[in-house]
Amino acid sequence: MEVNILQGGLMHPTEVIEFMVVGIIISVLIIISFILKGKWRKFGLVLAIVVFLAYTIFFIARPYWIDAQIEKKIEMLEPYLEHQYPNDEWIITTVPHRQDGYKHLNPYYIGVVFEDEPEVTYHYWVEKNNIYQISFSTEKANSEELKYKESE
C-alpha cells in the first residue's frame, strides 16, 4: 500500500499505523463528545484538538529530535575511536533517515569506514556509558581478515 506525504515520498508502515491509531483515537473522542452534552461536549472536542495538535507537533519534531540524538552519539563515538585507533583515519556515516528508501533502517546505527579498509563499514551502537561495534558490512569473503573488527 502506498501512501504519499507532502514531500512526495512513501511513508514507512509504522508511520501509517501511527496515523491510523491517532485517527481512531481522535474519531472516538469526537464521537463520544457528540454523545455528551454541555461542558463535557466542549471538553471532548478540546481534548480531540489537543491530541491532534500534540501528535502533529510530535510528527514534525521527530526528525529533528533524531538528528540531535545522532549528533550526540557521534560526539561520544569520536573520542572512543581516537582512543581505540589513535593512528588511523576514518569517515563516520549515518543513515539518511529523512530520504526515501532509508526509512526502514535504524537511524541510530553509526557507520565507520577506515581509510585503509574502505571496503568495510563497521556499525556502532552508542549508549550513555557504552559503545558497541554491533556489526559490519563488506564484500570480503573472509571476515577474519578484517583489521578493525572488535571482539564480541
Side-chain angles (χ1 to χ4, degrees):
M1 175 166 88
E2 292 185 6
V3 179
N4 289 321
I5 56 176
L6 294 176
Q7 298 154 335
L10 297 177
M11 292 178 57
H12 192 270
T14 56
E15 292 174 336
V16 173
I17 292 169
E18 289 172 357
F19 275 127
M20 289 173 57
V21 168
V22 171
I24 290 169
I25 291 170
I26 292 171
S27 299
V28 167
L29 287 172
I30 291 172
I31 290 169
I32 290 173
S33 70
F34 281 122
I35 294 171
L36 302 173
K37 296 184 181 189
K39 291 182 183 178
W40 290 107
R41 177 177 287 177
K42 286 182 183 177
F43 177 76
L45 291 173
V46 168
L47 184 60
I49 291 170
V50 167
V51 169
F52 174 75
L53 291 175
Y55 184 71
T56 301
I57 291 169
F58 168 76
F59 190 72
I60 291 171
R62 181 171 36 187
Y64 299 104
W65 173 257
I66 291 171
D67 288 344
Q69 295 302 308
I70 292 170
E71 287 301 318
K72 286 181 188 177
K73 291 176 185 296
I74 289 173
E75 289 174 8
M76 293 168 62
L77 179 62
E78 286 176 334
Y80 171 83
L81 293 172
E82 289 170 2
H83 179 264
Q84 291 289 107
Y85 312 106
N87 299 322
D88 294 314
E89 297 291 322
W90 57 80
I91 297 172
I92 294 177
T93 61
T94 59
V95 174
H97 64 95
R98 293 185 191 204
Q99 295 178 10
D100 291 339
Y102 294 95
K103 289 187 181 255
H104 67 287
L105 299 175
N106 188 332
Y108 295 106
Y109 290 162
I110 300 171
V112 176
V113 178
F114 290 91
E115 186 177 85
D116 59 344
E117 199 173 39
E119 66 279 356
V120 182
T121 301
Y122 296 92
H123 303 281
Y124 287 84
W125 181 260
V126 179
E127 295 175 348
K128 285 185 179 181
N129 299 321
N130 296 314
I131 297 176
Y132 307 100
Q133 186 184 88
I134 53 172
S135 66
F136 59 88
S137 53
T138 183
E139 300 285 324
K140 285 186 175 182
N142 188 358
S143 65
E144 299 302 320
E145 297 174 5
L146 299 178
K147 183 176 178 181
Y148 300 99
K149 182 180 175 196
E150 296 177 7
S151 62
E152 295 152 14

